[in-house]
Amino acid sequence: MKWYTKNQREIEEQLQTNAGHGLSEKQAEERLRQHGENEIAEQVSVSRIYLFVQQFKDFMVLVLLGATLISGLLGEYIDAIAIMAIVLLNGLLGYFQEQKAEKSMAKLKELSAPVVTVLQDGVWVNKTSRELVPGDIVKVKTGDRISADLRLLDVNALEIEESVLTGESIPAVKNEQPIPKENVELGDQHNMAFSGTLVTRGSGTGVVVATGMSTAMGQIASMLSSTERIPTPLERKLEELGKILIVGAILLTVAVALLGIYQGHPIYEMFLAGVSLAVAAIPEGLPAIVTVALSLGVQRMIKRKAVVRKLSAVETLGSASVVCSDKTGTLTQNQMTVQQIYVPKQHYFVTGQGYHPKGKFYLNRKKIDPLSTSALSQILKNTLLCSHAEILKTNGRFQIDGDPTEGALVVAAEKAGLSRQNLQGLNVIHEIPFDSARKRMTVVVKDEKGKRFVISKGAPDVLLKRTSWIQEGSERRPFTPKKEKHIHHMMERMTNEALRTIAVCVKELDPSENEKDFQLENHLTFAGLFGLMDPPREEAAEAIETCRQAGVKTVMITGDHVNTAQAIARQLKLLPPHGKVLGGYQLSQMTDEELEAIIPEVYVFARVSPEHKLRIVKAFQNRGHVVAMTGDGVNDAPAIKASDIGISMGKGGTDVTKEASSLILMDDHFATIKSAIEEGRNIYENIRKFIRYLLASNVGEILVMLFAMMLAMPLPLVPVQILWVNLVTDGLPALALGLDQPEKDVMKRPPRSQKESVFARGLGFKIVSRGFLIGLVTLIAFIFTYQKSPDHLAYAQTVAFVTLVMAQLIHVFDCRSDYSVFSRNPLGNLSLVGAVISSILLLLVVVYFEPLQPIFHTVELPLTEWIYILALSAIPTFIWMPSGKEKNHSIHV
Ligand code: ATP
């Protein structure tokens, strides 16, 4: 269908819809059933069997399978089958875990799915993009990613970047006029907006003409990249560690086997010893547990309102040393209220809170009727004309649909008894929308007599540069330097009280002047100033303090005036006494080197444009910081991408910034960033905890085997026992360590260096030393029992096996802390207690359940044996050892 050739009436008829009313709820439901969800099917998902087979392509597992096969061929059938069964079980677990992780990633995607404003039964409602159907009337605005193919019905300076479809990176200017031609290329269809393209400027409405796979994008869907999960840096490091361990294990195995053969042992026996060593050296369960710990961590973050888009962010968060945060809405409540209005020579005060449209006007402490004061009522009318926001009342609460700054202005007008109904006969015929770089917005209004007026509102310092006149009562007078100084003084007064200021200027257009002329915003007449309060968020102050103690510096970046920013920063205790505030103008004058030199002292960047953000990120990074940066507008995307952790706003953010970010704040609050950092640190620490636990086990196993070989004794453990320990009895407690609560001081430590090895801060020492002790007590248990009854090898092996498992299960409680086993309540992590009990039960099953005894080479142990086993097993954990933990660095932020 060539929608671009049709006019509005034809489209409405064809799609059975109405531009002023939209579809009814019933119609929308029916169409959704008929057309299906508005989704572009991703590449055929990988088959389940493939996913299952994938589990075994791991090099560690391959080595194990190869060795098992050979030992099977050599006649050890039962062992080979048992090992195969355990490996298979592990593969199955891995498969289910991967599926679960995939599902939770899909859920995350859903959480960050775009929301669209749709006209339904005559009211604008929010829907997810998946629910769109042909015939829906939708709004689009700067920063949106278009969700379906639209025929535009009404546009306002709308520009759309369509490079995904056309390859053209310069945004296309849109209009609503039908194109009376057939066979027009996508790039020339100026009255269409296509699914997947980006609104870079302006706004508009359109009717959905195609959804899902019927859209232009759907037809080229095969070009879309599939969503492949990229391993995080830590996962990659562990993969490398795994490879090193394998090479080490193979070398060790070969050396031991050759030595044994040289000493005259049979080749077959030596091969078995080699396999046992290889199994002992490799932490088979580790990769799967890391994946699960990361995905569980991501779930916990969602509970704290932080949605992770890139898994690597979880790790990077723990290293963040600077958080650059927007002010409005993130550090402040985004509940703007006009408190002061200045029209030349008159300074008014307005009462009321939030968006509740009730309040009084005062002049010189006396209550006045705003409508009886013509300058005041005029400026309020002008701001109404130059604003889009609407006041909504939902569940008894007043809210704003649109920009909060404009919302505050509309509420102030309503307090004076003015609404859009009072503006009949006045029509906006042209608009230059607000953007953070220009810091102003302008409309051209035509009255009933055909006279045209310009109304501009924006940052005072920007508009005053374009002002030549000042309106004083009914007179228009030249804007002399003295008058300008006075207005600046008024502005300073307001900004010092932490108010955001907006100036309003007007101009009457000459009949000869073109309303689309770019000179429109020159030679304006100053009409007045508004002072708006946006109180800081209480929880933000607390979060900033917590971050400070954690060695993370919070930096405010705002488009607002320097004084306003400074006053709010002081209220939030973000700005220390020695801290500096840098204005966008000063920043523009500086070279990158100068900025880098001064940046450690800067806590507030004010009156900045979005492109400054990129320089700020780079400067901090060049000084060795790991930077988290928030953003909401389209122009913030480059800085968000360049930062180490790009953060976007779930409520107020645009689709473009969301896509560039690695973390989305569902509630837009600064405190959520703090929670995410805390979780990030905790997840990393938990991963370290179970790496320590699992590797200590491996060290113990290798040592006990090696020592026994050196002492020319039989092997204390058989491969299937070692595998049972590595995958089963160790697996559950390791997972539970991944769920551990953080240590009390997790937000009192400095950020972790990104270069830091997983084994830093004494972890390597702990693994080797405790592992050594675990190996030693297992060996002692084995030697004593073996010497008592050398004919009964299985008995001694069972004692060694049980000692090893019990030593591990006691040691797991030590792994919870960087300090000592006594520093934490052993019952503090109930899942760990549950996991340890389950592991003990599993151990008892393989020792006491007769049918399993031949498979696991175990025999029944009398109760008395346990006393002596438990005493030995406790030694590795309770022997005092230096904590190996560095003293905390003093933190300077
Ligand atoms: P932050 O970065 O802290 O979120 P911000 O993004 O709200 O601040 P901008 O939106 O860039 O900052 O606003 C900069 C200045 O532009 C404001 O101080 C105000 O004077 C002016 N301004 C903000 N919104 C509007 C608007 N809708 N119309 C006209 N001027 C505006």
Side-chain angles (χ1 to χ4, degrees), residues 326-328 403 405-406 434 436 439-441 457-460 500-502 557-561 607 632:
D326 280 339
K327 173 177 72 68
T328 311
D403 176 49
T405 306
E406 292 188 355
F434 172 77
S436 300
K439 297 192 173 46
R440 59 186 188 273
M441 162 178 174
K457 74 175 194 319
R500 152 178 283 223
T501 48
I502 298 275
I557 301 188
T558 174
D560 238 337
H561 191 274
R607 271 289 185 259
D632 44 18

Side-chain angles (χ1 to χ4, degrees), residues 181-388:
K181 264 196 290 181
E182 302 268 319
N183 300 330
V184 179
E185 293 284 323
L186 280 188
D188 296 327
Q189 296 179 14
H190 294 311
N191 54 18
M192 296 286 294
F194 297 103
S195 175
T197 59
L198 299 171
V199 182
T200 52
R201 187 155 183 254
S203 57
T205 51
V207 52
V208 174
V209 295
T211 58
M213 296 307 279
S214 322
T215 58
M217 183 64 109
Q219 282 156 27
I220 53 163
S222 55
M223 279 162 53
L224 291 180
S225 59
S226 63
T227 48
E228 201 183 325
R229 186 163 108 53
I230 305 163
T232 71
L234 179 69
E235 285 179 301
R236 273 199 302 262
K237 268 193 231 163
L238 288 179
E239 215 170 277
E240 273 160 32
L241 173 77
K243 282 190 190 135
I244 296 171
L245 284 177
I246 287 170
V247 175
I250 292 174
L251 289 179
L252 193 71
T253 308
V254 173
V256 169
L258 288 181
L259 191 76
I261 294 166
Y262 174 76
Q263 284 174 348
H265 291 284
I267 296 185
Y268 157 70
E269 223 169 70
M270 278 301 104
F271 180 78
L272 206 67
V275 172
S276 314
L277 266 184
V279 175
I282 299 168
E284 291 86 357
L286 189 56
I289 297 175
V290 172
T291 313
V292 177
L294 280 172
S295 99
L296 289 175
V298 168
Q299 302 294 334
R300 273 205 306 275
M301 284 205 182
I302 295 180
K303 288 209 186 96
R304 299 180 79 171
K305 303 253 182 299
V307 177
V308 174
R309 288 195 69 247
K310 293 181 193 136
L311 208 53
S312 54
V314 178
E315 280 166 42
T316 327
L317 270 167
S319 305
S321 56
V322 170
V323 180
C324 295
S325 170
D326 280 339
K327 173 177 72 68
T328 311
T330 311
L331 291 168
T332 65
Q333 297 178 8
N334 215 6
Q335 282 269 332
M336 299 218 200
T337 317
V338 172
Q339 287 193 338
Q340 301 183 19
I341 305 175
Y342 175 81
V343 291
K345 304 209 170 135
Q346 313 276 317
H347 194 170
Y348 298 95
F349 289 80
V350 188
T351 62
Q353 274 193 337
Y355 296 125
H356 195 295
K358 282 262 168 307
K360 299 184 182 92
F361 288 72
Y362 288 86
L363 176 66
N364 302 328
R365 295 173 188 238
K366 271 205 212 95
K367 204 175 125 203
I368 55 122
D369 171 16
L371 294 186
S372 64
T373 324
S374 75
L376 181 59
S377 60
Q378 191 56 46
I379 198 174
L380 288 170
K381 275 189 200 159
N382 285 344
T383 50
L384 263 185
L385 284 162
C386 193
S387 301
H388 290 290

